[in-house]
Amino acid sequence: MTQTETQAELKLYTFDEFIEWYPENSTRKYELHNGVIIEVPPPAGDHTDIISFLIEVILAVLKLSGLPYRVSASVFVKTPNAKSAYLPDMLVVNRDNLKNEPLWKKQSTLIYPESVPMVIEIVSTNWQDDYYDKIRDYETMGISEYWIVDYAAPGGRKFIGNPKVPTIFVCELVDGEYVMTPFRGSDLIVSPTFPQLNLTAQQIFDSAQV
């Protein structure tokens, strides 16, 4: 069987079909990637440590900022063409815009960039999703800030160098396109959403070490 034939037989789902299919109270997580349902692998311990650390850091900044934002790790972000729906590792939600979100109350899903000031993805073995698919879709949606946290450096050499080096990319939307800025080691991360953030790349990497 050729690859083309295999793809032709693959069941493609709309977003509505995906939501209807999604098992209730499941301990497993799924995303919709260009119409294909993908099971999200359970995060490793280091992955979980970093997310927990970043949530704590962002929450602390939010308390001082006075912004109407919350932090979540369980919200769908749906692409404009409705062929993909992602569960980011972490995102910042603008509560003031939730009244405009038609899928929020029933499906915990956001479709407008005004509702998502920031998205953070932690890179794992399926690094291509973060560096190719999600960056393209978040850019198309108009999400203003997207972090790629490549703490274990599985990403492509053309992104993180050769030899590979743990790197955090802050992607800022400028004139409709992401500008990717790398941060490594003692580099102080510059966040457009939270300019008061006082955090180095190494502090994030160290949060995963026992």
Side-chain angles (χ1 to χ4, degrees), residues 114-149:
E114 295 83 2
S115 303
V116 192
M118 174 194 284
V119 170
I120 296 179
E121 297 282 8
I122 311 299
V123 179
S124 55
T125 53
N126 54 337
W127 62 269
Q128 292 91 342
D129 290 345
D130 301 318
Y131 278 101
Y132 290 104
D133 297 338
K134 292 184 179 181
I135 192 172
R136 176 199 64 220
D137 289 336
Y138 293 152
E139 180 183 72
T140 301
M141 289 183 69
I143 293 175
S144 59
E145 184 172 350
Y146 168 43
W147 287 24
I148 302 173
V149 180

Side-chain angles (χ1 to χ4, degrees), residues 123-128 131-132 150-169 183-185 205:
V123 179
S124 55
T125 53
N126 54 337
W127 62 269
Q128 292 91 342
Y131 278 101
Y132 290 104
D150 202 339
Y151 73 96
R157 289 181 175 83
K158 71 177 182 179
F159 296 107
I160 59 176
N162 187 18
K164 295 183 176 184
V165 179
T167 305
I168 295 171
F169 287 97
F183 297 91
R184 303 180 177 96
F205 301 146

Side-chain angles (χ1 to χ4, degrees), residues 10-201:
L10 195 63
K11 164 68 175 175
L12 297 180
Y13 290 77
T14 65
F15 173 76
D16 289 339
E17 290 172 336
F18 167 64
I19 291 298
E20 184 177 353
W21 167 91
Y22 206 98
E24 293 185 13
N25 303 318
S26 174
T27 57
R28 298 180 178 182
K29 293 184 177 181
Y30 302 87
E31 293 182 330
L32 188 67
H33 289 221
N34 202 28
V36 178
I37 295 176
I38 302 293
E39 182 176 353
V40 179
D46 288 349
H47 186 131
T48 302
D49 284 343
I50 288 177
I51 286 298
S52 298
F53 174 74
L54 285 173
I55 288 175
E56 291 175 4
V57 169
I58 299 299
L59 282 175
V61 174
L62 281 178
K63 287 180 180 179
L64 299 175
S65 71
L67 293 168
Y69 294 168
R70 285 184 177 172
V71 176
S72 178
S74 59
V75 174
F76 278 112
V77 174
K78 184 174 78 66
T79 61
N81 60 18
K83 291 183 179 179
S84 297
Y86 302 127
L87 276 173
D89 287 307
M90 195 195 96
L91 75 163
V92 176
V93 179
N94 179 4
R95 297 182 66 247
D96 280 356
N97 201 59
L98 292 182
K99 61 181 179 293
N100 300 317
E101 291 284 354
L103 305 177
W104 173 249
K105 287 190 177 293
K106 290 186 177 181
Q107 298 166 342
S108 296
T109 300
L110 302 176
I111 65 174
Y112 295 124
E114 295 83 2
S115 303
V116 192
M118 174 194 284
V119 170
I120 296 179
E121 297 282 8
I122 311 299
V123 179
S124 55
T125 53
N126 54 337
W127 62 269
Q128 292 91 342
D129 290 345
D130 301 318
Y131 278 101
Y132 290 104
D133 297 338
K134 292 184 179 181
I135 192 172
R136 176 199 64 220
D137 289 336
Y138 293 152
E139 180 183 72
T140 301
M141 289 183 69
I143 293 175
S144 59
E145 184 172 350
Y146 168 43
W147 287 24
I148 302 173
V149 180
D150 202 339
Y151 73 96
R157 289 181 175 83
K158 71 177 182 179
F159 296 107
I160 59 176
N162 187 18
K164 295 183 176 184
V165 179
T167 305
I168 295 171
F169 287 97
V170 174
C171 307
E172 179 183 4
L173 196 69
V174 178
D175 295 330
E177 296 182 6
Y178 277 142
V179 175
M180 297 177 67
T181 303
F183 297 91
R184 303 180 177 96
S186 61
D187 293 342
L188 196 64
I189 293 174
V190 178
S191 166
T193 305
F194 301 109
Q196 67 272 53
L197 190 67
N198 186 18
L199 183 68
T200 68

